[in-house]
Amino acid sequence: DRAAEAADAEAQAIDDAKASLEEHSEALLADAEALAGQVSAMRSAADSSYAVRDATDAYAQHLHDLDANIKEAKGDQAAINALYREGATVAASHADAVVRLSTDQAAALGVTLSATQQQEQWNKEMLFSAAQAGPAQRAEILAYIAQANLIPTAKVTEIEALIAAGKFAEAEALLN
């Protein structure tokens, strides 16, 4: 009887040890998956950082080339308008890249940005781009912002006046 009890106790100890090892193994696998996810999120944030640099360069290049491109258009208003629309699109690409970077950085920290936070970040970046531009390019960027946010024309006019007066924070507050 003692031998049978000892064998049963040993079998139970082995089963308990096996179960414990399986639990530990599952926990290690879960940790490894979480770490892989964090590493992937960090890589995404790094990629997004480079995308922001590229988008910043593209917008700066657009502003740098704008006067020469307008002269090259030789008064063709359709071509000039296309240049301003291109500038608004390049500014939006920059804003999108910044939002993507913020989202990726938050994900790397295990946080999720709300849709409102993302839109406010996008708006801020677009306003910043508008503030860097001359009046005609600024107006086109603000028209893009207005369309994206469904803002009435009167409010856009007020935002444009605030930016022109250097009151960026007030313009941002009015937009959001």
Side-chain angles (χ1 to χ4, degrees), residues 37-52 96-113 118:
Q38 188 176 19
V39 167
S40 178
M42 289 167 51
R43 277 194 214 127
S44 291
D47 291 344
S48 294
S49 176
Y50 279 89
V52 167
D96 290 340
V98 170
V99 169
R100 196 168 29 259
L101 173 60
S102 296
T103 302
D104 288 346
Q105 286 175 332
L109 297 172
V111 178
T112 301
L113 294 182
Q118 291 178 41

Side-chain angles (χ1 to χ4, degrees), residues 6-107:
D8 287 345
E10 186 176 335
Q12 184 61 47
I14 290 171
D15 287 346
D16 290 348
K18 183 179 174 184
S20 178
L21 286 172
E22 285 176 359
E23 274 183 37
H24 185 69
S25 177
E26 288 174 12
L28 287 173
L29 287 173
D31 287 348
E33 286 178 22
L35 183 58
Q38 188 176 19
V39 167
S40 178
M42 289 167 51
R43 277 194 214 127
S44 291
D47 291 344
S48 294
S49 176
Y50 279 89
V52 167
R53 291 178 195 164
D54 290 345
T56 300
D57 290 347
Y59 185 66
Q61 190 65 51
H62 171 80
L63 291 179
H64 178 268
D65 296 344
L66 188 58
D67 286 339
N69 289 337
I70 289 171
K71 286 177 187 172
E72 201 173 289
K74 296 180 182 172
D76 179 354
Q77 195 58 51
I80 294 169
N81 291 344
L83 290 169
Y84 291 133
R85 283 191 304 275
E86 176 187 343
T89 302
V90 172
S93 293
H94 177 263
D96 290 340
V98 170
V99 169
R100 196 168 29 259
L101 173 60
S102 296
T103 302
D104 288 346
Q105 286 175 332

Side-chain angles (χ1 to χ4, degrees), residues 119 122-123 126 142-151:
Q119 187 63 39
W122 187 87
N123 288 342
M126 288 294 283
L142 290 173
Y144 195 113
I145 295 168
Q147 188 173 8
N149 288 278
L150 303 173
I151 297 172

